[in-house]
Amino acid sequence: MEELKPVPPVPKKKPNIFVRLLAFLVTLALLLGAVAAVVYRDRLNFDSIRRWFVYRSLEKSDSGQTESFQYDSAGKGGYSQVGDDLLVWSTAGVRLYSSGGVEYLNESLTLNRPVADTCGSAALIYDAGGNVLHTYEDRSTSFVLNTEQGHEILSARMGPGGSFAVTTRESGYKGVVTVYSSGGHPVVGIRISTRFVTDGLLSDDGKTVAVLTVGQNEDVFESGLDLYALDGDVPFASYSLGNNAILDLRADGSAFWALGESSLSVARADGSAAVHYDYAGRYLKDYALEGDGFSALLLGKYRAGSGAALVTVGADGQELASLDLEDQVLDLDASGRYVAVLTAAGLTLYTKDLQLYDALENTMGARSVVLRSDGTAFLVGGETARLYIPG
């Protein structure tokens, strides 16, 4: 029988020095990248990367401004963001322009008191106190509403998925809020006879309707906010906003923001207690409610004069940051995680904690700014507009 000889062990092969060095460098790069992402998270939020890809085909000046384009500005109105486009609305109708100035929509209307509202890539315009409302989706008119005489439109708000809520007068009631689907079909009507209704809007998930009312409580003026389930006719939560005239409403996630003359209130759709940010006797000079989880307020000690404080407020009703401004503010806007302040001296972009993000000195006579969630902004003058792209 042949004797079995032990097999000698195979010697271990030492890893290649270059492979080990490469693995070390990759590990080091990942570690440094993680540290940089934490330290510079305010600037490394991928918005600059997105801007490079999205707007690289647009011709820009050294200051980051694209070539200006002319728009039809006939009549009194304003400007709004619809998706990535600029909506110009006035007593004469609506116009919709791309970032590069391509006109996608041109609809002539006759409106005495035009008001516009947007949500994502959808928008509406209506004649306050009148009977006409138009909605827009995919850069075209999607629905036209003409209410009956005696059912004048008090307010209208765009909602998720092209849905919208319209507040009207109606005989026998102090206000009616009707929710419409994206196709313009009535979904639910909330009729109230105990208090005057001034506004109504849908939550971001489309399941809750917030109704703003005004009335008296022991001979004292009182604003209130009632929350209804979309399929219910009785409020599941009611909030007193006190002796505070509400100027604007906004839905953000599961919360509703109510901006008043003396305080800002945030009520949640889960029925928990509302939180309030008091202006502490300061005058509200301007505001922007469209930040991602925050709102921006311009508060001054006096009604007139340029001195004011720019304040950002979170969804918990707490002040995030405050910054004193000396220059006269021409316009203020918020979107995404940014705040835009336009003055005669230039445009300044801040993060929501009011850290400087970017600045532009020569705005070429812009009088309005429409900020977008990626940090870009439309600068609008008397007859021309252009896009500013931060570096």
Side-chain angles (χ1 to χ4, degrees):
M1 185 175 179
E2 186 178 354
E3 183 180 358
L4 298 176
K5 296 181 179 180
V7 179
V10 178
K12 293 183 178 180
K13 186 178 181 180
K14 292 184 178 181
N16 188 298
I17 186 64
F18 294 105
V19 175
R20 298 179 64 182
L21 179 61
L22 179 61
F24 171 75
L25 292 176
V26 170
T27 303
L28 181 62
L30 292 174
L31 179 61
L32 293 176
V35 172
V38 173
V39 175
Y40 300 105
R41 61 186 181 274
D42 285 338
R43 297 193 67 88
L44 298 179
N45 62 352
F46 301 106
D47 284 339
S48 59
I49 299 175
R50 178 184 183 275
R51 291 195 295 262
W52 186 86
F53 280 103
V54 173
Y55 308 112
R56 60 180 176 175
S57 62
L58 296 178
E59 293 187 8
K60 302 180 289 293
S61 65
D62 293 339
S63 64
Q65 299 182 76
T66 63
E67 185 176 350
S68 62
F69 60 90
Q70 197 161 12
Y71 67 89
D72 189 343
S73 60
K76 182 181 179 181
Y79 319 93
S80 304
Q81 173 190 351
V82 182
D84 288 332
D85 300 330
L86 175 67
L87 182 73
V88 180
W89 48 275
S90 69
T91 54
V94 296
R95 311 288 187 270
L96 188 67
Y97 299 92
S98 72
S99 302
V102 177
E103 185 180 78
Y104 290 125
L105 178 67
N106 186 331
E107 184 174 31
S108 297
L109 300 171
T110 301
L111 306 172
N112 294 320
R113 290 173 291 275
V115 182
D117 193 59
T118 68
C119 182
S121 59
L124 60 79
I125 185 170
Y126 66 96
D127 194 3
N131 303 90
V132 178
L133 178 145
H134 288 226
T135 66
Y136 306 93
E137 288 185 89
D138 300 324
R139 295 170 172 168
S140 61
T141 303
S142 56
F143 179 69
V144 177
L145 174 67
N146 288 285
T147 63
E148 302 175 8
Q149 292 297 322
H151 294 241
E152 286 76 18
I153 300 172
L154 302 177
S155 174
R157 299 281 183 172
M158 207 72 218
S163 60
F164 56 99
V166 182
T167 303
T168 58
R169 296 188 180 97
E170 186 172 319
S171 178
Y173 298 94
K174 293 188 176 180
V176 177
V177 177
T178 305
V179 177
Y180 293 84
S181 67
S182 59
H185 303 291
V187 176
V188 65
I190 300 172
R191 291 169 169 79
I192 297 176
S193 57
T194 55
R195 293 166 61 91
F196 290 101
V197 180
T198 60
D199 209 345
L201 76 164
L202 280 162
S203 60
D204 283 350
D205 61 8
K207 296 180 180 179
T208 304
V209 186
V211 177
L212 180 65
T213 64
V214 294
Q216 285 188 325
N217 184 6
E218 296 181 355
D219 297 328
V220 177
F221 171 85
E222 181 189 49
S223 295
L225 190 68
D226 297 328
L227 305 185
Y228 293 78
L230 191 60
D231 57 354
D233 56 2
V234 177
F236 65 82
S238 296
Y239 300 94
S240 172
L241 304 180
N243 185 10
N244 188 20
I246 303 302
L247 307 174
D248 205 353
L249 281 179
R250 171 211 172 192
D252 179 26
S254 60
F256 297 97
W257 299 64
L259 178 93
E261 287 185 325
S262 59
S263 65
L264 173 66
S265 301
V266 184
R268 297 197 172 276
D270 60 8
S272 57
V275 295
H276 309 276
Y277 177 79
D278 190 88
Y279 305 158
R282 293 173 293 181
Y283 294 100
L284 179 67
K285 308 183 80 169
D286 204 349
Y287 67 91
L289 302 181
E290 297 78 17
D292 186 5
F294 76 97
S295 292
L297 310 175
L298 188 65
L299 304 172
K301 292 182 179 179
Y302 309 101
R303 290 188 183 275
S306 58
L310 176 62
V311 177
T312 52
V313 181
D316 58 358
Q318 298 299 310
E319 184 176 293
L320 299 177
S322 179
L323 180 67
D324 290 332
L325 302 178
E326 297 300 328
D327 293 333
Q328 182 72 40
V329 175
L330 302 177
D331 199 13
L332 172 69
D333 202 6
S335 184
R337 58 194 295 273
Y338 305 104
V339 180
V341 178
L342 179 67
T343 67
L347 172 71
T348 307
L349 300 181
Y350 300 96
T351 57
K352 66 180 182 180
D353 55 358
L354 297 185
Q355 296 299 307
L356 178 64
Y357 181 76
D358 201 274
L360 173 67
E361 291 185 358
N362 184 12
T363 61
M364 303 172 69
R367 64 186 187 188
S368 298
V369 58
V370 179
L371 183 63
R372 306 195 297 182
S373 60
D374 63 358
T376 59
F378 280 109
L379 292 169
V380 187
E383 296 180 347
T384 61
R386 61 199 167 277
L387 185 68
Y388 171 62
I389 306 173

